[in-house]
């Protein structure tokens, strides 16, 4: 498949992290006052934080080492373990994320850490199809978070999307609009795009002409933001591409939906982020099915079967349902007949 690429791997943890930390301006004097193990841990932590979305597997390795090197009394050990839970989440290991977070106690005096704790824990629960638990965690994260932190945007968006799935449209609209506004104030293009995509879906579900026009406008704005954003921004929130693809599919903008979902998959494989891969592949297969690209849809579903997380029963069922619909249509005799019927006329009118 065109999006399959091996993520980069940094095999020397200390030298690699030192390079990343140097790029981010970690001052040498910050580690010279520490012991060798302590200073090494600080460099690994800084490097892993930078590397998290580019290569979560390497980041997880560095964070494990940093956590082992830091004494229990050092608050940076909490940071290392919290980031490690986030790396496991990106790698599609929600059970490991939950286990790591259960060993931590949220720090009430650190709003940013508290919001991130809730975000990681809620997303892990959602990946395991524990939706009610996930929403409670997201809402608690908002109650304890500082309103100026970037993690407030995804907390709002997650609540909006869960409300949309429950067809609680007023709640979905409110939280999605709030997320979009907050993201805009933080110049977070990817976060704003994801929120606008959820807003578009919520407005579209309202079912009359005025919300439908608002839905189309929101989806267009989200696509413009995504298309203007470089990959380095998008990898920080690949779920935004999934959300945009869903909105464009609902609006029958199928080529755009396929393009954005495929871009999300490319980035997922490039970086090793597995947490959204099953959802992206399933959504892509459904778009390809609607476009009559049955062989491509079958390939996407075959990949989705491998990518779906063990605890995501609902996703696995959706994959099998879609597979049962696609498989008969992918037979050569069926597809050749369909292609002949659906072939557009030649420009001069000849067959």
């Amino acid at each position: 498949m065109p999006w399959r690429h091996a993520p980069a791997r940094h095999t020397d943890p200390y030298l690699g992290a030192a390079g990343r930390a140097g790029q981010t301006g970690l001052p040498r004097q910050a580690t010279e006052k520490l012991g060798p193990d302590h200073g090494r841990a600080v460099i690994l932590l800084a490097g892993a934080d930078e590397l998290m979305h580019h290569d979560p597997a390497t980041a997880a390795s560095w964070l494990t080492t940093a956590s082992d090197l830091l004494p229990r009394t050092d608050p940076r050990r909490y940071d290392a373990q919290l980031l490690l839970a986030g790396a496991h989440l990106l790698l599609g290991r929600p059970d490991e994320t939950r286990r790591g977070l259960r060993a931590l106690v949220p720090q009430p005096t650190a709003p940013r850490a508290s919001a991130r704790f809730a975000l990681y824990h809620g997303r892990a629960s959602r990946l395991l199809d524990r939706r009610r638990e996930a929403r409670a965690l997201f809402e608690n994260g908002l109650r304890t978070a500082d309103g100026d932190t970037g993690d407030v945007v995804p907390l709002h968006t997650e609540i909006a999307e869960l409300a949309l799935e429950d067809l609680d449209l007023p709640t979905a609209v409110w939280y999605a609009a709030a997320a979009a506004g907050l993201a805009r104030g933080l110049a977070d293009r990817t976060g704003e795009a994801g929120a606008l995509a959820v807003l578009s879906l919520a407005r579209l579900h309202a079912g009359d002409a005025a919300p439908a026009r608002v839905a189309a406008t929101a989806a267009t704005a989200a696509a413009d933001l995504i298309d203007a954003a470089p990959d380095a921004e998008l990898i920080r929130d690949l779920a935004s591409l999934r959300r945009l693809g869903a909105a464009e599919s609902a609006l029958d903008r199928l080529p755009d939906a396929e393009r954005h979902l495929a871009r999300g998959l490319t980035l997922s494989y490039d970086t090793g982020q597995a947490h959204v891969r099953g959802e992206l592949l399933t959504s892509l297969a459904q778009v390809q099915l609607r476009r009559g690209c049955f062989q491509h849809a079958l390939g996407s579903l075959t990949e989705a079967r491998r990518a779906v997380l063990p605890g995501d029963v609902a996703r696995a069922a959706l994959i099998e349902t879609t597979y049962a619909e696609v498989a008969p249509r992918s037979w050569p005799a069926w597809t050749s007949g369909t292609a002949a019927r659906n072939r557009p006329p030649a420009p001069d009118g000849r067959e």
Side-chain angles (χ1 to χ4, degrees):
M1 284 190 168
W3 52 75
R4 274 184 158 255
H5 304 283
R9 289 287 175 257
H10 303 261
T11 55
D12 187 329
Y14 184 66
L15 292 177
R20 303 293 296 190
Q23 292 170 19
T24 57
L26 185 70
R28 181 183 299 276
Q29 58 268 31
T31 58
E32 286 178 343
K33 296 179 182 179
L34 306 171
D37 283 349
H38 209 156
R40 183 172 180 243
V42 171
I43 290 175
L44 286 167
L45 178 56
D49 193 14
E50 273 296 299
L51 193 64
M52 175 77 78
H53 294 90
H54 295 269
D55 184 356
T58 299
S61 174
W62 293 357
L63 289 164
T64 299
T65 302
S67 182
D68 291 340
L69 292 173
L70 289 166
R72 292 184 178 274
T73 55
D74 192 319
R76 282 169 291 206
R77 189 171 189 270
Y78 179 95
D79 295 337
Q81 292 179 324
L82 183 58
L83 283 173
L84 179 58
H88 283 307
L89 183 65
L90 293 176
L91 290 166
R93 304 170 185 167
D95 280 321
E96 194 70 25
T97 297
R98 285 167 59 86
R99 275 193 293 272
L101 293 175
R102 279 198 294 266
L104 297 175
V105 177
Q107 296 178 333
T109 58
R112 183 175 183 81
S114 180
R116 186 156 296 180
F117 181 99
L119 184 63
Y120 290 165
H121 204 169
R123 283 178 169 171
S125 297
R126 190 174 178 189
L127 287 174
L128 294 169
D129 208 19
R130 301 178 180 182
R131 298 174 61 260
R132 292 181 64 183
E133 179 182 343
R135 180 162 176 175
L137 286 162
F138 294 140
E139 289 173 344
N140 184 64
L142 278 184
R143 283 193 293 270
T144 58
D146 183 337
D148 292 331
T149 67
D151 292 314
V152 169
V153 172
L155 286 169
H156 276 84
T157 305
E158 293 282 0
I159 294 171
E161 195 166 43
L162 287 170
L164 175 61
E165 291 173 6
D166 291 334
L167 295 181
D168 181 0
L169 301 183
T171 300
V173 166
W174 191 91
Y175 276 99
L182 289 166
R184 196 174 305 118
L186 295 168
D188 177 4
R189 289 187 288 190
T190 309
E192 183 182 355
L196 286 171
V198 177
L199 180 62
S200 173
L201 284 166
R203 291 293 193 187
L204 193 62
H205 276 74
D208 58 49
R213 285 194 295 272
V214 175
T217 300
T220 299
D224 290 343
L225 289 166
I226 289 291
D227 290 340
D231 290 349
E233 284 185 33
L234 295 182
I235 61 173
R236 303 188 68 83
D237 186 8
L238 290 183
S240 291
L241 285 155
R242 170 185 60 77
R243 290 167 175 142
L244 175 58
E248 290 174 325
S249 177
L251 289 163
D252 287 325
R253 300 176 180 179
L254 300 183
D256 290 330
E258 185 170 13
R259 176 170 59 87
H260 289 125
L261 292 167
R263 186 180 182 189
L265 275 173
T266 297
L267 295 176
S268 168
Y269 282 114
D270 281 349
T271 60
Q273 292 189 41
H275 64 303
V276 295
R277 197 172 297 156
E279 294 176 286
L280 285 166
L281 283 162
T282 310
S283 296
L284 180 61
Q286 291 173 325
V287 171
Q288 290 167 334
L289 169 62
R290 290 174 61 193
R291 297 194 73 191
C293 303
F294 305 119
Q295 291 288 351
H296 287 95
L298 194 65
S300 296
L301 289 168
T302 301
E303 286 288 315
R305 280 176 160 176
R306 290 192 283 264
V308 68
L309 302 177
D312 194 350
V313 178
R315 177 68 45 189
L318 178 59
I319 290 169
E320 295 309 313
T321 300
T322 310
Y323 196 96
E325 187 175 358
V326 170
R329 300 183 179 190
S330 66
W331 297 339
W334 202 99
T335 54
S336 61
T338 301
R341 288 194 299 271
N342 294 338
R343 185 182 300 121
D348 60 1
R350 293 177 299 173
E351 290 297 324

